[in-house]
Amino acid sequence: MRILHTSDWHLGRAFHRVNMLDAQEAFIGHLVATVREHAVDVVVVSGDVYDRAVPPLAAVELFDDALHRLAGLGVPTVMISGNHDSARRLGVGAGLIDRAGIHLRTDPAGCATPVVLPDAHGDVAFYGLPYLEPALVKAEFGVEKAGHEAVLAAAMDRVRADLATRATGTRSVVLAHAFVTGGEQSDSERDITVGGVAAVPSGVFDGVDYVALGHLHGCQTIGERVRYSGSPLPYSFSEHRHRKSVWLVDLDAAGTVTAERVDCPVPRALARLRGTLDDLLADPGLTPHEEAWVEATLTDPVRPDDPIARLTERFPHTLSLVFDPERDPDEPGVSYARRLADRSDQQIAEDFVAHVRGAGPDDHEQAVLRDAFDAVRADETVREVAR
C-alpha cells in the first residue's frame, strides 16, 4: 500500500505580513497531482489542518476544495486534528463525509477504532490519535497525572489491544500529533509543554508498522517506522534550511516500510542575513538572496537611520528586521528581551523568585509554578476550542 504522509497545513496562516493562501492553494494542487502521478492508495494528514480554532472563511473554503478534490480521485484520506485545530469544529460532519472516503478522527475516545483499508495483501488498519491535551483527556484514558507520555501511552495501549483482535497479518499505521523525543523544533510550533516536559519517547508507539507524525515543521526521521512529514510551507524564518516535502511511504505485505520524499512547491526562498547595514547593502555574496524573503539582523552598535527603507532597496522582500548590536552581554543597556531569549516561562518565573527574595524556589515551589503554568495553558486551550 502506498501512503502519502503530510501534516501541518496551517490553512489561514500568514508568513509575517504575507498572506499565504495562494501558496497553500498551490500546495493543495501539488498534493492532488502527487496522488495521481505516484498512484497513491491513501493520504494521511497528521493534524494542524488549520492554524487556529476558528479559521478565516477563505481557509475553510480551501479545505473544502481540498476534500472535494481528494474525494474526486477516489483515494481515501485519513486526517486527525492537531493542537491548532478545534477538534469539535473540524469533526463536524465527520460521519457524513466518511462515506465519501474522507475519514476525520478528532475524538480521543475513538482512537482505537481504525479506518480499515484493504490491498492485495490484506488489511491495513489506520488509527487516528488526534492531539491529546493531557489536562482535557486524562479522565478519558484513566491516567492519574496529566502528561503527554501518560495519555499517549494509554491511547496506544488501546490501539495495540484492538490490533490484537484483528486477523493475522493485518498491518497498522498510527497518525499522531505530538512532540517525540529526537525531533528538531522550529520557532513556528505552538508550545505544548506540560509539567516542564514536552517530548515523549518514540517507544510509546512500539508495535505498529508506521507512525505518521505531525506537529514539528521540519521533515525528519525519528526511526525507520516513525517520521514527521513537516509543514509543506515555511511559517517562520527558523525554517530557512528546511526542505519542504511530503513522504511517500510504501508498506509491503510483511509491513516493511520504504519511504521517499517528494518536494513541495516553494513560493519564495528564505534568507537570514546578519551584519552591519552597510555590509549587507554592499556584500556581493548576498546577491542570490535579493529575491528571497529576508530576515535581517543588524549588528551596528548604533541603530542606523531608515534601515528598512534602505534594506528594501536591495532586498525588496525584507519581512523582518532585528537589532542585535555586538556588545558584551553584561554591558548596561542590553535589551531585556535579549536577556530572556531561549528561556522558558518556568525559568523566567524562577529567576523572578530568586531576584525578589535572594534564593530560588525549592522543589515544591517549582512544582507549584509548573502546575500553575499548565493550568493556564489548559484553560487557554479550553477557551479557544469553545469559541
Side-chain angles (χ1 to χ4, degrees), residues 17-71:
R17 61 178 180 270
V18 176
N19 187 321
M20 295 290 279
L21 197 65
D22 286 346
Q24 291 170 340
E25 186 175 357
F27 163 69
I28 296 300
H30 166 76
L31 181 74
V32 172
T34 301
V35 170
R36 286 199 191 100
E37 180 183 347
H38 293 276
V40 169
D41 296 303
V42 56
V43 176
V44 300
V45 186
S46 298
D48 282 353
V49 174
Y50 292 121
D51 189 57
R52 56 182 186 266
V54 185
L57 179 59
V60 177
E61 290 174 340
L62 181 55
F63 179 58
D64 181 65
D65 177 63
L67 296 189
H68 276 84
R69 295 172 73 178
L70 289 169

Side-chain angles (χ1 to χ4, degrees), residues 249-300:
V249 178
D250 286 320
L251 197 62
D252 72 8
T256 301
V257 170
T258 56
E260 65 173 300
R261 293 171 70 174
V262 176
D263 292 336
C264 295
V266 178
R268 192 179 293 277
L270 305 186
R272 271 185 153 171
L273 310 182
R274 181 182 179 88
T276 66
L277 179 58
D278 288 342
D279 286 346
L280 295 185
L281 294 178
D283 186 351
L286 300 182
T287 300
H289 303 306
E290 290 179 351
E291 293 305 315
W293 281 324
V294 167
E295 177 185 76
T297 299
L298 299 185
T299 60
D300 301 75

Side-chain angles (χ1 to χ4, degrees), residues 62-332:
L62 181 55
F63 179 58
D64 181 65
D65 177 63
L67 296 189
H68 276 84
R69 295 172 73 178
L70 289 169
L73 294 175
V75 175
T77 298
V78 184
M79 55 177 61
I80 60 173
S81 49
N83 60 302
H84 279 250
D85 299 308
S86 165
R88 291 175 62 188
R89 289 177 184 271
L90 186 63
V92 169
L96 184 61
I97 65 174
D98 194 80
R99 302 176 192 175
I102 305 293
H103 308 283
L104 283 168
R105 293 294 183 263
T106 63
D107 183 359
C111 67
T113 303
V115 178
V116 180
L117 301 172
D119 68 4
H121 307 292
D123 288 340
V124 181
F126 290 80
Y127 295 91
L129 277 57
Y131 172 66
L132 303 175
E133 172 60 48
L136 303 183
V137 302
K138 65 176 183 176
E140 166 63 35
F141 291 104
V143 297
E144 293 183 4
K145 187 175 181 180
H148 288 293
E149 183 174 355
V151 296
L152 274 170
M156 283 302 301
D157 285 344
R158 293 188 185 183
V159 167
R160 285 185 284 264
D162 179 83
L163 188 57
T165 70
R166 303 279 162 182
T168 302
T170 299
R171 291 151 292 160
S172 53
V173 175
V174 165
L175 289 70
H177 196 86
F179 180 15
V180 175
T181 303
E184 182 179 339
Q185 293 178 275
S186 64
D187 294 341
S188 52
E189 299 116 3
R190 182 180 295 171
D191 181 30
I192 57 172
T193 301
V194 174
V197 178
V200 299
S202 60
V204 164
F205 299 103
D206 285 351
V208 297
D209 294 306
Y210 183 69
V211 182
L213 293 173
H215 179 57
L216 300 185
H217 287 186
C219 182
Q220 50 200 298
T221 300
I222 305 300
E224 285 306 306
R225 298 180 181 273
V226 183
R227 299 171 187 265
Y228 283 98
S229 67
S231 61
L233 294 165
Y235 293 113
S236 74
F237 276 102
S238 65
E239 301 171 51
H240 70 291
R241 290 194 177 94
H242 287 188
R243 173 187 160 198
K244 296 301 184 182
S245 58
V246 296
W247 284 111
L248 272 182
V249 178
D250 286 320
L251 197 62
D252 72 8
T256 301
V257 170
T258 56
E260 65 173 300
R261 293 171 70 174
V262 176
D263 292 336
C264 295
V266 178
R268 192 179 293 277
L270 305 186
R272 271 185 153 171
L273 310 182
R274 181 182 179 88
T276 66
L277 179 58
D278 288 342
D279 286 346
L280 295 185
L281 294 178
D283 186 351
L286 300 182
T287 300
H289 303 306
E290 290 179 351
E291 293 305 315
W293 281 324
V294 167
E295 177 185 76
T297 299
L298 299 185
T299 60
D300 301 75
V302 177
R303 184 173 301 206
D305 293 334
D306 297 323
I308 193 68
R310 293 167 65 188
L311 274 169
T312 53
E313 288 181 6
R314 182 178 186 189
F315 306 103
H317 305 287
T318 300
L319 300 181
S320 175
L321 186 60
V322 180
F323 293 97
D324 187 18
E326 292 183 344
R327 301 173 183 165
D328 185 326
D330 297 324
E331 181 182 339

